[in-house]
Each structure stands twice: as structure tokens, then as C-alpha cells.
Amino acid sequence: MNRTDALDMVRESISSVIPDADFTALGPDDAFRDVLEMDSLDFLSFVEVLSERSGVRIEDEDTTRLTTLAGSADFLVARTR
């Protein structure tokens, strides 16, 4: 998976949890929880959807890398090599 595909998958996964997410306000290193007002349950749902869509197993200790667009994309690219 390349970075562009990973970013698209992250956005699609977030959109499935927060349908009205405004990605224009979200920079690559901005925390989802701050900009998108994502609560803990939304975040857990996002992680589950991302895991299902990508086919990548996401462990609890991996979730700290999934808090931003850049971090999530980097994680997916590294795990799908």
C-alpha cells in the first residue's frame, strides 16, 4: 500500500464513523480527537473499521500511532510492506 492509498483508507474509515467529518480543517499532524471532536468510542470504532478495511491487525499498543492522518498512513504503509 502506498501513502496516498493509506490516507484515502484512513479518511474513508473515519467517514464511516463520523459521516460529517471535515477533512479540510484536519492537517496531517492534527489529532483526530481535537479537530474532528472524536470521542473514545468513535476512535475505537475507527480503529476497528481501519483494521477490517486494510486487513491489518491493530494491537492496543498500536493505537497511539493512529491519532493523526500522517501517523495512521505511516502505520498502514509500514504494516503492508
Side-chain angles (χ1 to χ4, degrees):
M1 175 179 306
N2 64 41
R3 187 164 175 76
T4 300
D5 293 339
L7 285 167
D8 288 343
M9 186 172 294
V10 171
R11 287 185 190 101
E12 290 168 6
S13 298
I14 290 171
S15 292
S16 73
V17 175
I18 304 173
D20 59 344
D22 179 10
F23 294 106
T24 60
L26 184 65
D29 297 315
D30 293 336
F32 300 142
R33 294 180 78 149
D34 296 338
V35 177
L36 301 177
E37 298 180 18
M38 182 182 276
D39 64 25
S40 297
L41 291 176
D42 292 336
F43 181 74
L44 289 175
S45 295
F46 155 68
V47 170
E48 288 176 10
V49 170
L50 185 63
S51 179
E52 289 171 10
R53 288 179 182 217
S54 67
V56 172
R57 183 180 172 124
I58 301 174
E59 304 292 339
D60 288 342
E61 59 269 12
D62 298 327
T63 59
T64 57
R65 298 178 61 194
L66 304 175
T67 59
T68 66
L69 283 174
S72 297
D74 291 345
F75 173 81
L76 287 178
V77 170
R79 286 290 178 96
T80 57
R81 286 187 179 167

